[in-house]
């Protein structure tokens, strides 16, 4: 990509790291997944266009994550920085891949665009919900290289 779509994005302050407790370290304590834990897994995903994380751009926010341990489901809403973001599907795939690699397989992970924040939200959501399309995308070597760059350690 030669030209940035969002040349000057708003950058937000990152939230503080969660303080670990003794129970967090204790393997004998049953610790269900919560929204903050899921947020911590994905907050440092790199934006595909800028040397910033999805948290710093407010693409991801803890308040837009829902975890239901009883139903083994996790729902993530993300907010593209601009309504015509061509990277929305790539961002959604990056979130999905990061969680599929990090979470137990019992979880069904749903990743969608925050309603009303993208011009093609229905089409992007349909792609992200289609298991066959996601599987096909993840077989694309070039696309996986880009996703792996996004989900690797922060660029800073």
């Amino acid at each position: 990509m030669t030209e940035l779509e969002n040349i000057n994005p708003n950058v937000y302050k990152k939230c503080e790291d969660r303080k670990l407790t003794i129970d967090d370290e204790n393997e004998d304590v049953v610790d269900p997944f919560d929204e903050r834990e899921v947020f911590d897994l994905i907050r440092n995903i790199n934006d595909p266009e800028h040397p910033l994380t999805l948290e710093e751009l407010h693409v991801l926010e803890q308040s837009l994550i829902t975890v239901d341990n009883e139903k083994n489901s996790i729902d993530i809403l993300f907010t593209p920085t601009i309504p015509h973001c061509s990277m929305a599907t790539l961002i959604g795939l990056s979130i999905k891949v990061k969680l599929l690699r990090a979470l137990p397989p019992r979880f069904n992970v749903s990743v969608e665009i925050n309603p009303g924040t993208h011009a093609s939200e229905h089409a992007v959501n349909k792609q992200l919900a289609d298991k066959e399309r996601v599987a096909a995308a993840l077989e694309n070597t070039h696309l996986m290289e880009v996703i792996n760059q996004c989900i690797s350690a922060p660029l800073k």
Side-chain angles (χ1 to χ4, degrees), residues 70-121:
E70 300 283 320
K71 295 181 180 175
N72 297 319
S73 69
I74 297 176
D75 298 318
I76 311 283
L77 294 176
F78 69 98
T79 308
T81 58
I82 56 174
H84 291 79
C85 178
S86 65
M87 299 287 164
T89 304
L90 176 62
I91 290 168
L93 280 171
S94 296
I95 295 166
K96 198 162 195 130
V97 167
K98 178 75 174 194
L99 291 175
L100 289 173
R101 289 181 181 175
L103 293 170
R106 69 180 173 95
F107 281 105
N108 177 31
V109 176
S110 168
V111 178
E112 293 186 349
I113 292 179
N114 196 7
T117 63
H118 193 274
S120 302
E121 76 182 67

Side-chain angles (χ1 to χ4, degrees), residues 4 46 52 111 121 134 153:
L4 294 177
N46 299 305
L52 299 164
V111 178
E121 76 182 67
V134 170

Side-chain angles (χ1 to χ4, degrees), residues 15-80:
C15 67
E16 296 200 17
D17 289 335
R18 177 160 69 171
K19 306 286 188 256
L20 291 178
T21 66
I22 293 171
D23 285 346
D24 290 331
E25 301 293 323
N26 186 346
E27 294 294 325
D28 296 326
V29 174
V30 176
D31 182 23
F33 283 89
D34 63 15
E35 288 77 7
R36 178 57 194 252
E37 190 169 3
V38 173
F39 178 68
D40 285 343
L41 290 171
I42 59 177
R43 67 191 275 200
N44 289 316
I45 293 174
N46 299 305
D47 182 77
E49 287 190 307
H50 299 284
L52 299 164
T53 66
L54 297 184
E55 177 189 15
E56 290 171 310
L57 294 170
H58 269 207
V59 171
L60 288 171
E61 298 176 59
Q62 182 179 335
S63 63
L64 298 176
I65 298 171
T66 306
V67 176
D68 186 333
N69 283 284
E70 300 283 320
K71 295 181 180 175
N72 297 319
S73 69
I74 297 176
D75 298 318
I76 311 283
L77 294 176
F78 69 98
T79 308

